[in-house]
Amino acid sequence: MAIFMQVELAGVTSEQYDKLNAKLQSLPGNPFEGCLAHVAVASGSGMRIFDLWESEEALRRFNEVVMPVASEVGMPQGGEPTTSPVHNYWVPGA
């Protein structure tokens, strides 16, 4: 079952987000495996992240990778993500 995840990363700048993303993309394999969509939005207090994952397991695997890397690049710890089961989704043109 697909899972929608959102989290507010207070105190995180777009530069920190970009540094984390570049580091993740340089890792061997595909740390984003199972991510169906990702949106990062700058907010007044930091960054908001919205993801659509193919399963809770895929999200859990990603979190096991991203948390140590985020710490390594000096990102402040974000808020607790919220997740919801997805009733339906579609991708235009797919």
Side-chain angles (χ1 to χ4, degrees):
M1 170 183 291
I3 299 296
F4 179 73
M5 186 278 309
Q6 57 186 350
V7 65
E8 176 79 28
L9 302 177
V12 172
T13 66
S14 56
E15 291 80 14
Q16 289 171 313
Y17 168 85
D18 291 345
K19 185 176 179 181
L20 172 63
N21 195 43
K23 180 78 171 174
L24 289 169
Q25 289 183 20
S26 74
L27 295 176
N30 179 9
F32 306 102
E33 185 175 350
C35 184
L36 303 171
H38 171 80
V39 176
V41 178
S43 69
S45 63
M47 297 291 292
R48 290 187 197 149
I49 306 299
F50 304 91
D51 284 349
L52 179 61
W53 290 89
E54 66 184 16
S55 67
E56 283 190 63
E57 176 63 22
L59 174 56
R60 185 192 61 74
R61 284 191 312 265
F62 177 73
N63 282 334
E64 290 174 357
V65 173
V66 74
M67 298 309 287
V69 175
S71 180
E72 179 184 317
V73 299
M75 283 182 70
Q77 192 165 27
E80 195 65 30
T82 60
T83 60
S84 304
V86 174
H87 172 72
N88 187 30
Y89 72 92
W90 58 274
V91 178

